Amino acid sequence: MTAIPASVDPLSGPPGPPPMAPARPDRYAWVVLAFLCFVYVLNFLDRQLLSILAKPIQDEMGITDGQIGLISGLYFAIFYCLVSIPVAWLADRTNRVRVLSLACALWSAATIACGLARTYPQLAVARMTVGLGEAGGVPPSYAIISDYFPRGTRGTALGLFNLGPPIGQALGVAFGASIAAAYSWRDAFIAIGGVGVVTALMVWIFVKEPKRGGLDAPSPGAATVAVEAPAPFLATCRMFFTRRVLLLVALACGATQFVTYASLNFTILFLMREKGMTLNEVALYYALLIGIATSVGMYVSGRLIDRFVTRTKKVYAWVPAIGLLCAVPLFVGFVRAPTWQMALLFLALPMGLNYFYLSPAVALVQEEVRPNQRVLAGALLLLVMNMIGLGLGPTYLGAASDWFRASFPDNSLQMAFYTLVPFYFLAVLLFIALSRAIAREEQAAA
């Protein structure tokens, strides 16, 4: 990064003009990306395993949709979101790879504990511990990737990294449902948690900590020293929440995740209970759908950003806004479909379009802050969007289903899904507001 003039507040805006950077990342950067993506796969697989196995868990423990929504939403998100801030502060000052490895070991051990739980309170505590561990997973990874990939390639790299959720969802559905069908839902938690513990050890051994801001500075010197100095915690938080662009992207993502997490945590239960799918059918057809459709959405959005961002940064807002608008009518078709086969056909495209927001949002935040602020800025982004989306989305949909059950005992989840449509339009409006804020910053810079 170039030296910052004394008249410019280093915490109040983006880090100046783009510096010269290597045209392509080296081979080891791709190895690291593969490791981090696999950790993200496990992160999301462990997170979604509860929703995948909700039906057999309900059958054994006798818990309601509202209770499922609480332990997969609010209870999980409280720990996941709030702990991510001190973890990010620690990672910005210590070895980010070590923080990631220890976090992976913790959430994997907690996943094993979910399989051993005998009561709802025990399951709730285990899920909260999963959230505690997963808080240290994604923000350090964002910063590590940004220090292995130069500007101009980060959208693609983060798009590939963000394949972790769809791959994790697909593998979770395939292996989790298959293990549960052949053995029990408890064995699925234990087996997948064990894989995570081994992966944590491999990350500790094989992934090297990169130099902070090494690809943002053209040469060593005073500017590099300034970049590597830890950013003040409170000042960085104040910068994030007072910069309109950063706050709007977090709120827009939160509104989007309200829909995506609510849907994600109840779609399998909806397909099994109200559309007639079996666990074996879920393991095959739904796993293929979620793996392919969401992966395409993540990757295509990242490529679109790298393709058009040289013309205008407003593409960070327009890509997700257009994707969400196109998804609405197909989502309604998915909810109305009379059979699970037709429901999956309607779901294929909106499942990909729903995830057009993540790669642009992460790339925008990582570009807009200094290298020594990236972990904390990524954690603040996750704090806002996950507290809204992950914390409130599943909690709301589960409570809505319980409320509709008195009047619609056979299709309460269907009625609850309909109520998600207004949140699509709220997210679109927030992305339009983000586009205008970006335009104003571009005009001011010009």
Side-chain angles (χ1 to χ4, degrees), residues 33-48 138 142 145 156-172 261 264 290-291 294-296 298-299 355 358-359:
L33 181 61
F35 264 106
L36 298 183
C37 187
F38 185 68
V39 173
Y40 201 9
V41 167
L42 293 175
N43 180 299
F44 221 83
L45 194 162
D46 292 354
R47 187 186 311 179
Q48 295 305 312
V138 180
Y142 286 158
I145 291 170
T156 299
L158 289 167
L160 289 171
F161 173 71
N162 285 327
L163 293 178
I167 295 173
Q169 293 166 29
L171 292 179
Y261 271 118
L264 193 61
I290 199 169
T294 314
S295 296
V296 170
M298 294 283 194
Y299 182 72
Y355 286 91
L358 188 55
S359 296

Side-chain angles (χ1 to χ4, degrees), residues 331-399:
F331 177 79
V332 174
F334 154 70
V335 179
R336 288 177 59 88
T339 65
W340 67 261
Q341 293 92 338
M342 189 175 294
L344 290 185
L345 287 176
F346 273 108
L347 186 60
L349 191 56
M351 183 168 285
L353 294 171
N354 282 350
Y355 286 91
F356 264 35
Y357 75 96
L358 188 55
S359 296
V362 173
L364 175 62
V365 170
Q366 294 294 296
E367 291 284 357
E368 289 293 294
V369 301
R370 293 161 50 193
N372 62 341
Q373 297 172 308
R374 283 178 177 150
V375 179
L376 182 55
L380 292 169
L381 172 67
L382 293 175
L383 170 68
V384 176
M385 68 185 194
N386 283 330
M387 203 65 206
I388 297 172
L390 178 58
L392 301 181
T395 305
Y396 163 80
L397 195 64

Side-chain angles (χ1 to χ4, degrees), residues 35-49 76 80 87 99-115 126-141 161 189-190 192-197 199-200 203:
F35 264 106
L36 298 183
C37 187
F38 185 68
V39 173
Y40 201 9
V41 167
L42 293 175
N43 180 299
F44 221 83
L45 194 162
D46 292 354
R47 187 186 311 179
Q48 295 305 312
L49 201 54
F76 180 94
Y80 179 79
V87 169
V99 171
L100 174 63
S101 177
L102 292 171
C104 181
L106 177 59
W107 84 61
S108 299
T111 299
I112 295 174
C114 289
R127 289 300 297 171
M128 287 187 278
T129 308
V130 172
L132 184 69
E134 290 189 5
V138 180
S141 297
F161 173 71
F189 277 99
I190 293 170
I192 292 171
V195 173
V197 173
T199 301
V203 169

